[in-house]
Amino acid sequence: MRDLVAGMRYLGRGVRWVAGHGRWWGFGLLPALVALVLYAGLFTVLALYSGDLAAWATPFADGWGAPWQGLLRGLFVALLLAGGLTLSVLTFTAVTLLIGDPFYESLSERVEESEGGCPPGPGRPLWREIAVALRDLVHVLLRAAGFGVLLFLLGFLPVVGQTVVPVVGFGVSGFFLAVELTTVAMQRRDVPVRERLRLLRGRRWLAVGFGTPLVLLFLIPFAAVVLMPGAVAGATLLVRELLPVEPAAGPTAVAGDGSDGRAAVPAAR
């Protein structure tokens, strides 16, 4: 449970970091605002047509009398909207990170420099960085979608589906959200996506402790926009625990003085 608490602390440290660096917080808001407008429109469409989708997915209930038809389709709508919200939380982060790749890369670098040294990046051009990030995020989202479908189906189980499954769902969503948010700092270290997943599975409670509070907070309107810069900063600090940066040789590197303080990053264990 120590890792669970430590994950929450990294989130708090990230929020405090951007609160103390208002310019970076402002830059980090812009991509999130663009993504919010996009997702608000998509979720509105889903809500408007959820009843039609429920009727289409349950044709066997057409002949059922009241109240059973209404209960079944009402449950379907509730699960559909809950699944849509969860998927929105996961994909919102992915889309926001893609839209704001240069913003969040600069923010993450600044966080690392303030902590005593930023590792050198792989030196790829921006278009290549975005292509790699897109490929990796699709890989993560496909895995998350597999769990999402399974949990959606388990949600129809009596009692368990309405109690245990939602709790597990938030934990799983939190884990994958942590994977997404650590992409910026992990990509700088040129860590392949499968290795990132292995690293975070090895410290799963750390990832869950970091990501699950964000999943819950992101359900609050506009909270995702406000918290995205702090979430990226906190994820960067978390990566520094998983893959510490060796101190720069000599006393010349000072946090925030413009020197990079960069050193070799040990290979992931």
Side-chain angles (χ1 to χ4, degrees):
M1 290 297 118
R2 289 177 61 185
D3 268 358
L4 187 68
V5 175
M8 297 178 187
R9 286 177 178 164
Y10 277 119
L11 176 58
R13 285 180 60 190
V15 172
R16 287 195 300 272
W17 192 95
V18 295
H21 299 77
R23 182 170 66 93
W24 290 103
W25 178 73
F27 283 147
L29 289 179
L30 296 176
L33 283 170
V34 173
L36 177 65
V37 173
L38 173 64
Y39 274 81
L42 290 174
F43 193 78
T44 299
V45 171
L46 177 64
L48 288 174
Y49 289 95
S50 59
D52 293 336
L53 287 172
W56 172 81
T58 58
F60 55 85
D62 286 344
W64 291 11
W68 306 113
Q69 183 190 87
L71 287 173
L72 175 67
R73 290 179 174 171
L75 176 60
F76 185 94
V77 169
L79 290 172
L80 182 66
L81 294 178
L85 276 174
T86 302
L87 187 62
S88 295
V89 169
L90 291 172
T91 58
F92 177 88
T93 302
V95 171
T96 303
L97 289 173
L98 286 173
I99 293 172
D101 184 80
F103 294 93
Y104 295 126
E105 177 65 31
S106 298
L107 169 61
S108 180
E109 286 181 359
R110 182 65 182 85
V111 171
E112 298 231 47
E113 288 168 1
S114 72
E115 290 294 308
C118 180
R124 291 187 287 258
L126 177 61
W127 70 268
R128 179 62 178 163
E129 286 286 329
I130 294 175
V132 171
L134 178 60
R135 180 198 64 195
D136 292 350
L137 288 171
V138 168
H139 180 90
V140 172
L141 289 175
L142 286 175
R143 287 182 175 239
F147 281 97
V149 170
L150 176 61
L151 291 169
F152 178 81
L153 295 175
L154 291 175
F156 286 97
L157 294 176
V159 182
V160 174
Q162 292 76 52
T163 54
V164 177
V165 171
V167 174
V168 174
F170 280 120
V172 171
S173 299
F175 174 84
F176 282 109
L177 185 58
V179 173
E180 290 180 10
L181 287 165
T182 55
T183 293
V184 177
M186 290 282 198
Q187 192 170 314
R188 184 181 308 114
R189 291 159 170 79
D190 208 18
V191 180
V193 64
R194 288 182 174 82
E195 181 65 12
R196 297 174 207 166
L197 287 163
R198 189 189 69 80
L199 279 168
L200 288 168
R201 280 198 303 267
R203 301 286 300 276
R204 61 173 57 88
W205 287 113
L206 183 68
V208 170
F210 179 83
T212 303
L214 278 171
V215 172
L216 296 171
L217 289 168
F218 279 11
L219 296 177
I220 302 172
F222 305 108
V225 175
V226 175
L227 290 173
M228 267 302 293
V232 172
T236 300
L237 296 170
L238 187 150
V239 170
R240 288 179 70 86
E241 174 171 329
L242 295 174
L243 296 171
V245 179
E246 294 180 0
T252 56
V254 179
D257 68 352
S259 60
D260 54 20
R262 298 179 180 182
V265 180
R269 295 187 295 274

